[in-house]
Amino acid sequence: TEAAAPRGQQQGQEKENQPIEYQGQVLDPDGKPVSGAKIYHIGGVQLAEGSAPGSEPQTTSDQEGYFEYSISQPPRAKQFDERLRKFATVIAVADGFGMAAANIQEHEPGQPLQLRLAPDDLPVTGRIVDLQGQGIANVRIKFNGLKLPKVENGGVPAWRKALVARRDGLKTEREYFSLLFLPPQMTQRETRTDQTGRFQLSGFGQDRIVSVIIDGPTIETQEINIITRLGVAEVSAPWYPNAPNLGTLHYHATASDIVAGPTRAVVGVVRDQKTGKPLSGFKVAGAPVGNPMHSVDTVTGAEGGFRLTGLPLGKQQPVTVSPPADQPYLEVQQRINLHPGDDPLAVDFKSTRGVWVEGKVVHQQTGEPAGVT
């Protein structure tokens, strides 16, 4: 392998069949070195190879806060776009602090990876309430993402001012925050509200945005973004101004009351259009829950039956049935009027069996495989 770069610097070159080397330093909120911080590498080549994200740390920082490690480049990774291999996050985790992280694609090549930990004295807290303002017990609060501010852009205050002016949720968020890949032990975190509807999650640090999914048998499932900063007024904006149906980003300061609207269960059976045979393993899903990447969904059982909870009440709610990857059925959708009610709403679906179409895409002039999907 090529010679190691000077301590505190990241190797910018990624030569064929050679490891990618990473080096840097972990600092506390006051700029002092932190020893013993666990260093994780998430994404990048791991994504290209289709392997699981790193659940174990690559190394730990030394007495001066420095660390170094390398990631191998398997030959198969060369088949993937160069940008994908750089789409990685280096994370430092230390007891008593909010994590530090750096997105490689946003980092200047050849410069030190400086990971500055955050104070962890302001946890993610809140209270889930119904439309009457009463706390709801046993609501699941599931961690869904962490966004760190790009301090050079002004942090939380500048982001909120821009969001109110533009009403362009995703574009504004990406300008002011970095979305992180995280180790599994972080992404699997969840808690539940107590009898008063209150909840708490710790370990994220100040002035970050923590996205969570809230769900329960009697409430609408939603993605909520909680800002680890007091006194920030609630604000919402569509993910994309020109596509409001894809969802809305909702932001609350920590320690806020969050209203969860009621829901009504939808039950039914999915059958073959021609034979009436029940179809198992089919996905039944509603519209996005404030995030285009996340929807309320379930899977049909052995007799084709399903029970879907978490949809918002209202007219023309879309419910889509999709086949498993190994069955040539067509996707089908119904729009239902989900009015308030204690009993489940019964809705059945019929899907038409199609035929598999196979072929090969090649370049017109050379006849070589085109390498597209």
Side-chain angles (χ1 to χ4, degrees):
T1 63
E2 62 192 82
R7 172 174 276 189
Q9 293 187 356
Q10 173 197 353
Q11 287 287 76
Q13 298 179 345
E14 301 178 13
K15 295 183 179 180
E16 187 175 350
N17 298 325
Q18 293 186 348
I20 309 171
E21 297 184 354
Y22 299 90
Q23 300 177 345
Q25 187 180 28
V26 182
L27 305 174
D28 70 11
D30 297 322
K32 299 177 181 178
V34 175
S35 64
K38 297 178 181 179
I39 308 299
Y40 294 88
H41 184 101
I42 313 296
V45 173
Q46 294 164 326
L47 287 178
E49 287 296 291
S51 59
S55 59
E56 297 296 328
Q58 296 288 334
T59 186
T60 57
S61 58
D62 65 17
Q63 291 296 320
E64 296 178 347
Y66 290 108
F67 64 88
E68 58 183 35
Y69 66 93
S70 62
I71 298 292
S72 61
Q73 295 189 87
R76 181 167 172 259
K78 293 187 293 184
Q79 302 173 15
F80 293 81
D81 191 283
E82 184 76 10
R83 290 172 298 178
L84 179 59
R85 289 192 279 150
K86 292 182 178 180
F87 194 60
T89 302
V90 181
I91 297 171
V93 178
D95 292 341
F97 297 100
M99 70 172 62
N103 277 340
I104 297 303
Q105 66 172 356
E106 298 173 356
H107 188 76
E108 185 176 348
Q111 295 299 312
L113 279 174
Q114 189 177 91
L115 303 181
R116 188 181 290 265
L117 300 164
D120 189 31
D121 53 3
L122 190 62
V124 171
T125 64
R127 187 170 72 114
I128 307 299
V129 301
D130 60 22
L131 298 180
Q132 289 73 43
Q134 300 299 310
I136 307 174
N138 204 35
V139 173
R140 185 175 70 154
I141 313 295
K142 186 178 186 301
F143 175 81
N144 195 51
L146 178 63
K147 305 156 190 178
L148 268 59
K150 300 176 182 179
V151 179
E152 67 275 10
N153 288 351
V156 170
W159 156 79
R160 191 187 184 285
K161 182 178 180 180
L163 182 65
V164 171
R166 300 175 186 173
R167 314 303 300 177
D168 190 343
L170 184 62
K171 183 177 181 180
T172 307
E173 190 177 271
R174 290 294 174 268
E175 181 177 339
Y176 288 87
F177 288 86
S178 297
L179 177 65
L180 306 180
F181 285 106
L182 296 171
Q185 63 267 35
M186 174 63 76
T187 60
Q188 294 167 4
R189 294 179 62 187
E190 64 179 62
T191 187
R192 290 185 179 269
T193 57
D194 63 16
Q195 292 301 310
T196 67
R198 300 184 185 280
F199 66 91
Q200 176 172 316
L201 288 170
S202 302
F204 301 104
Q206 289 187 22
D207 287 341
R208 277 102 187 261
I209 294 179
V210 180
S211 67
V212 297
I213 301 292
I214 65 171
D215 64 39
T218 64
I219 65 168
E220 171 191 352
T221 300
Q222 301 178 63
E223 182 189 65
I224 300 295
N225 292 278
I226 301 175
I227 307 163
T228 53
R229 185 185 181 103
L230 296 173
V232 180
E234 177 183 343
V235 62
S236 298
W239 274 72
Y240 304 102
N242 297 329
N245 291 336
L246 289 180
T248 301
L249 286 157
H250 302 287
Y251 300 94
H252 300 260
T254 192
S256 298
D257 282 359
I258 299 169
V259 178
T263 191
R264 182 181 180 186
V266 177
V267 299
V269 179
V270 179
R271 300 181 184 275
D272 184 289
Q273 173 73 40
K274 184 176 181 179
T275 67
K277 175 185 175 181
L279 301 173
S280 64
F282 278 56
K283 181 180 178 180
V284 184
V289 298
N291 181 336
M293 303 296 291
H294 189 95
S295 62
V296 177
D297 58 58
T298 187
V299 176
T300 59
E303 299 301 320
F306 68 88
R307 182 183 180 89
L308 187 66
T309 60
L311 296 176
L313 298 180
K315 297 181 179 180
Q316 299 296 304
Q317 295 294 335
V319 178
T320 305
V321 173
S322 305
D326 61 348
Q327 296 197 43
Y329 279 84
L330 303 183
E331 186 176 276
V332 61
Q333 184 183 92
Q334 291 190 50
R335 290 186 174 271
I336 62 174
N337 296 325
L338 195 60
H339 299 303
D342 295 328
D343 297 330
L345 177 66
V347 181
D348 292 335
F349 290 82
K350 293 182 179 180
S351 180
T352 301
R353 183 180 179 87
V355 296
W356 292 116
V357 177
E358 298 181 358
K360 184 178 181 180
V361 179
V362 299
H363 288 288
Q364 185 175 13
Q365 295 180 345
T366 67
E368 295 293 326
V372 297
T373 57

